[in-house]
Amino acid sequence: TLLDHLGDSIDVLTELVVTHRTAAVAAYRREDDPVAAVRRRAMGLIGACTSAGRADALYEIGDRNVPAGTAAGIGAIELTVHGWDIARACGIERPVSDPLAASDRLIAYLGRRP
């Protein structure tokens, strides 16, 4: 279920990168092979990011317009936190890297126990 949710989040981020807008609500899809689906979707997001265009573009998330850097930050937090969740579900204890999260504060702020 967590991998399916991560895949849906990746789809929302890909939509945002490609179209510069998203409703920010993922349609939950259950995949037969969620690991392969996350890998495929992540590769699609990477491909979209490599040809994203201007760094000064605005992105529409719901009813808000945000600069590219803010949209990228939102995506980075989304993927980082779900990656952390998956690691914990697999019994792996790894802190989020300091440059992104200033240690475990990001995880704690989002309601998880570091």
Side-chain angles (χ1 to χ4, degrees):
T1 301
L2 184 54
L3 287 169
D4 288 333
H5 176 69
L6 173 60
D8 292 341
S9 295
I10 292 169
D11 286 348
V12 168
L13 292 171
T14 302
E15 174 189 11
L16 182 62
V17 170
V18 171
T19 68
H20 289 223
R21 67 180 52 89
T22 186
V25 177
Y28 182 75
R29 294 188 320 191
R30 180 112 175 110
E31 297 276 354
D32 289 335
D33 184 347
V35 173
V38 165
R39 184 178 294 120
R40 176 180 37 78
R41 291 160 139 177
M43 294 305 293
L45 176 58
I46 291 168
C49 288
T50 60
S51 59
R54 299 181 5 219
D56 62 344
L58 289 177
Y59 291 82
E60 184 181 323
I61 301 175
D63 63 350
R64 306 269 189 229
N65 287 316
V66 299
T70 301
I74 291 167
I77 290 169
E78 178 76 7
L79 297 177
T80 298
V81 170
H82 288 319
W84 185 88
D85 289 338
I86 291 167
R88 290 297 297 233
C90 293
I92 300 168
E93 293 194 29
R94 240 182 234 156
V96 174
S97 66
D98 284 340
L100 183 59
S103 193
D104 290 331
R105 290 183 292 200
L106 170 66
I107 298 303
Y109 180 73
L110 294 172
R112 277 96 167 155
R113 291 186 71 192

